Amino acid sequence: MGEIVGKSNSNNSIISVADSMGEQQFRTTSSLKTFSRKSFDSFRIHSFDEENPTIIDGISFSSAAEAAAAVSGKWPGNNNNNKEELNPQDSWLPITESRHGSIYSSVFHVLTSGIGFQAMLLPLAFASLGWVWGIVCLSLAFVWQLYTIWVLVNLHESDSGLRYSRFLHLSIAAFGPKAGKIMSIFPVMYLSGGTCAMMIITGGGTLKLFFQNICGDGPGLSCKAQSVSGVEWFLVFTCMAILLAQLPNLNSLTIISFVGAVTAIVYCTILWALPLGMDRPNEISYDPLPTNSKMDKYGDVLNGIGIIILAFRGHNVILEIQATLPSTPKNSSTKTMWKGIKIAYLQIAMILFPMAIAGFWAYGDKITFNGGMIKALSQFHGQDLSKFVIGLIYLLIIINCLCTFQVYSMIVFDNLEFRYTSIKKQPCTRLLRTVFRLCFGGLVFFISVAFPFLGSLAPLIGGLTMPLTYSYPCFMWISMKKPLPNRPMWLFNMVLGCLGLILSVFLVVAAIYNLVDNGLNANFFRP
C-alpha cells in the first residue's frame, strides 16, 4: 500500500510517493510517468487544496514537505517500530525507545514524580509564613509552576514534527549549545541523581522504622532489626531499587508509576486526615516563629518559600514523559500530555493543599524540620495509633520511594547511554545497560551514605533549582516562539523569568545564612 499527495497542475509542488520500498519526492507531476502503472495500483490519493498544497484532508501544515511526510505515514517522532525517528539514535535510548505511551501512563508518571517527601514539610513553611501568607505563597507557586509546565508541553514538538524529548535538548535549542548546557546540565542531573539519593535516604530510613515497628521494644525478641545499621538499611533499599531499575525504558515503567502514584496519594491522605480526628498538642501557636532579629525573620520567611518551591518538583522529567507519547498531525503529543497534566495536577493540588493546611492546623509551630508530618504524627499521636496503621504508612512510603527512584533514574540512564551511543554509533547491549545501572546504584548509594543530611538542605536546594522550574521555561518561550517585544506575552514571560531568578538568589542567600546561624548536623557517613 502506498500513498501519494501533490498538486497536479503545478510544476513546483512537492509530490511524495511512499510504498513498501520507502518514500521518494518529485518536483513535478511529470516525474510520475517514470513509474509503471502497476506501481500505482494500491496508491491512495489524499484530498488537497488547489490553492494551498499544505492543507491535506482538511489539516493545515506549515510546508508541503511536512504534509507529504504526514500522509505517507512518516511523521517524525512517532516511532512506529522505531523506523520514523528524525534522529535514529532516539530509538536506542531509554526515554525515546518506546513512544507507545497513553494519557494514563503520562498521568501515572507525573503523579509519581510530582508527589513525594517534600509534601510532608509544607506545614513547616506555614509555620514560618503564617496562615494568610502561607496560603497565598502556596497558591501562587502552584499556578506559576503549572504555567511553566504548560510552556514546556507546548515547546516539546515543533510544527515539522521535531520533538525536544529532553529538557537539556530544549535548553540547547533555546539558548545555544554552550549556554544551554551551562544553564541546564547541573540542575537537571542534580534533580535526577539527587532525588534518587534522597529516595535512598528516605526509603532506607523508613525501612528501618518499619522493621522496628514490627519488632517492637524489649528484651527477648527474636527480631534482630534493631542491630542492623543505617548503612545496611540503605544498602537493602538500593538493591531493591536497582533490581526494579532493569526495566528497559520509561514507557515500560507504567505499572511501576501506577503503584507509585497510588501509594503517594494514600499515605499523604492518611497523614493529613488522621490528625483531624485527634486532639491537638497543648500550647501550639499559629503565629510565625519568633526570631531574635529582622534578619532572622527574613531568613525564616524565605526558607518557608523555599520549602514551598521544593514541593513542586518534576519539571526536569516533563519533556521526557511527553516523549513516550505518540504524535501525529491529527493527535499531537501536546494535546495528550496537557490532558494528562490537568488530571495529575488536580490530584496533586488535592494532596498538597490539605497537607499544608491540615498539618499546620493540627501541629502549628510544633512541626519539626526533621521528618515533617510523619515525625509529628509519631511524636504526638503515636500512642493513639495501632502498629498496623503506623506500619502501613511506613510501607507505603517505602514503596513510593522505590517507584519514584525508577522515574528519576531513567533520566540518568538515558544520559549515560546517550554518551555511549554517540561514541560507538550503536545501541547498548543488555549487559552494558545492566552495568550502567549497577554503577549508578553504587554511586547514589555512596552519596546517600556520605551525605545522609541532604534533607536538611531542602531550602537551599529549592533555591538552587528554582530557575529550572520557574524561570527557564519563560525564557525558552521567548527564544523559541519569538513573540513581539513589549507585547503582553513577551512582557509576561520576561517578568516571570526575571522574578524567578531574583527570588532564587534571595532564597539561596537566606538558606546559607540560616545554615551558618543555626548550624548543620553534618553526620557524614553516619546515617
Side-chain angles (χ1 to χ4, degrees):
M1 175 65 179
E3 297 174 347
I4 178 173
V5 62
K7 197 168 78 171
S8 60
N9 60 352
S10 171
N11 292 328
N12 297 318
S13 63
I14 294 178
I15 296 177
S16 173
V17 177
D19 58 15
S20 60
M21 300 297 293
E23 178 182 357
Q24 302 181 48
Q25 290 187 349
F26 302 90
R27 283 287 167 183
T28 64
T29 54
S30 60
S31 302
L32 296 175
K33 296 177 182 178
T34 60
F35 281 85
S36 66
R37 183 178 301 275
K38 182 179 179 181
S39 65
F40 288 93
D41 287 346
S42 59
F43 279 16
R44 177 165 58 92
I45 301 180
H46 289 261
S47 63
F48 57 90
D49 191 330
E50 291 286 343
E51 301 297 328
N52 188 351
T54 63
I55 299 179
I56 308 298
D57 290 338
I59 302 173
S60 179
F61 299 89
S62 61
S63 67
E66 179 186 323
V71 298
S72 63
K74 299 295 183 182
W75 184 248
N78 195 33
N79 198 357
N80 184 13
N81 298 323
N82 298 334
K83 294 180 180 178
E84 287 88 35
E85 293 289 359
L86 286 175
N87 180 6
Q89 187 180 18
D90 275 343
S91 63
W92 302 339
L93 303 176
I95 297 297
T96 49
E97 187 176 66
S98 172
R99 296 193 193 266
H100 301 296
S102 66
I103 188 172
Y104 302 105
S105 64
S106 66
V107 170
F108 301 150
H109 291 323
V110 172
L111 283 173
T112 301
S113 62
I115 304 177
F117 65 93
Q118 297 96 330
M120 293 188 281
L121 298 177
L122 283 174
L124 182 63
F126 274 48
S128 299
L129 299 171
W131 277 116
V132 175
W133 284 109
I135 294 175
V136 168
C137 290
L138 183 60
S139 301
L140 289 176
F142 179 80
V143 174
W144 189 349
Q145 60 87 37
L146 190 60
Y147 168 73
T148 54
I149 287 180
W150 177 84
V151 169
L152 291 175
V153 169
N154 281 273
L155 291 179
H156 174 82
E157 64 181 65
S158 64
D159 294 336
S160 62
L162 177 62
R163 302 178 68 173
Y164 300 103
S165 299
R166 297 155 185 87
F167 191 97
L168 179 60
H169 295 174
L170 180 61
S171 179
I172 291 173
F175 305 128
K178 188 173 182 180
K181 290 179 181 179
I182 292 174
M183 294 169 65
S184 299
I185 283 182
F186 171 75
V188 168
M189 289 298 108
Y190 175 82
L191 284 174
S192 300
T195 299
C196 290
M198 277 305 306
M199 291 303 102
I200 294 177
I201 295 171
T202 305
T206 308
L207 196 59
K208 180 178 181 180
L209 294 175
F210 175 72
F211 276 91
Q212 286 177 346
N213 178 72
I214 293 176
C215 294
D217 300 316
L221 294 174
S222 59
C223 180
K224 302 297 182 182
Q226 302 285 359
S227 63
V228 179
S229 67
V231 174
E232 291 169 322
W233 284 119
F234 282 15
L235 181 60
V236 171
F237 181 89
T238 303
C239 291
M240 292 190 296
I242 294 302
L243 183 63
L244 281 177
Q246 300 309 311
L247 291 171
N249 52 63
L250 183 57
N251 193 47
S252 66
L253 294 178
T254 300
I255 298 298
I256 300 292
S257 291
F258 170 73
V259 175
V262 170
T263 52
I265 292 172
V266 172
Y267 86 73
C268 286
T269 302
I270 293 175
L271 284 178
W272 68 256
L274 275 180
L276 295 180
M278 299 179 177
D279 295 332
R280 286 177 288 176
N282 297 325
E283 299 179 355
I284 65 172
S285 172
Y286 298 117
D287 297 325
L289 297 173
T291 55
N292 297 323
S293 65
K294 285 188 175 181
M295 190 65 183
D296 289 340
K297 182 177 180 61
Y298 295 147
D300 285 347
V301 168
L302 289 172
N303 268 350
I305 296 175
I307 291 172
I308 289 176
I309 288 172
L310 186 64
F312 298 107
R313 64 182 191 180
H315 280 58
N316 61 309
V317 298
I318 289 295
L319 292 174
E320 286 79 356
I321 293 172
Q322 189 172 349
T324 65
L325 302 176
S327 186
T328 64
K330 291 183 179 180
N331 188 22
S332 70
S333 64
T334 299
K335 296 179 182 178
T336 306
M337 186 65 182
W338 184 239
K339 289 179 182 177
I341 291 291
K342 289 188 288 186
I343 296 172
Y345 269 82
L346 177 62
Q347 299 295 320
I348 291 175
M350 293 171 63
I351 292 297
L352 298 188
F353 281 86
M355 178 73 79
I357 296 171
F360 186 52
W361 177 87
Y363 302 113
D365 60 344
K366 301 296 183 181
I367 197 81
T368 60
F369 191 88
N370 184 19
M373 283 292 291
I374 187 69
K375 181 67 176 293
L377 186 67
S378 300
Q379 180 180 348
F380 296 110
H381 298 118
Q383 67 278 6
D384 301 323
L385 299 174
S386 66
K387 281 190 174 184
F388 173 79
V389 173
I390 296 177
L392 176 62
I393 295 173
Y394 289 153
L395 182 61
L396 291 173
I397 292 174
I398 293 167
I399 295 173
N400 175 256
C401 288
L402 285 171
C403 297
T404 304
F405 184 98
Q406 309 309 313
V407 176
Y408 281 93
S409 64
M410 198 62 72
I411 311 303
V412 182
F413 300 155
D414 184 85
N415 188 60
L416 292 173
E417 293 192 26
F418 173 79
R419 303 298 173 188
Y420 173 83
T421 55
S422 296
I423 296 172
K424 296 297 185 178
K425 310 300 181 184
Q426 62 183 15
C428 291
T429 62
R430 184 61 185 166
L431 176 61
L432 186 58
R433 275 190 167 180
T434 302
V435 171
F436 280 154
R437 298 176 187 202
L438 287 174
C439 290
F440 173 73
L443 177 62
V444 291
F445 168 73
F446 174 80
I447 293 173
S448 62
V449 171
F451 307 99
F453 53 88
L454 278 179
S456 301
L457 302 177
L460 178 62
I461 295 170
L464 289 173
T465 58
M466 181 179 178
L468 185 144
T469 303
Y470 293 89
S471 296
Y472 291 171
C474 300
F475 295 132
M476 288 174 175
W477 180 270
I478 293 174
S479 176
M480 303 288 285
K481 296 297 185 178
K482 295 180 171 43
L484 294 176
N486 301 320
R487 291 297 181 89
M489 199 62 181
W490 185 92
L491 288 172
F492 181 70
N493 283 282
M494 184 61 71
V495 169
L496 280 185
C498 293
L499 182 61
L501 291 178
I502 294 171
L503 187 56
S504 174
V505 173
F506 278 113
L507 292 177
V508 171
V509 171
I512 294 174
Y513 173 81
N514 275 352
L515 289 174
V516 173
D517 187 49
N518 300 326
L520 174 66
N521 181 23
N523 52 326
F524 293 101
F525 295 98
R526 296 195 307 273

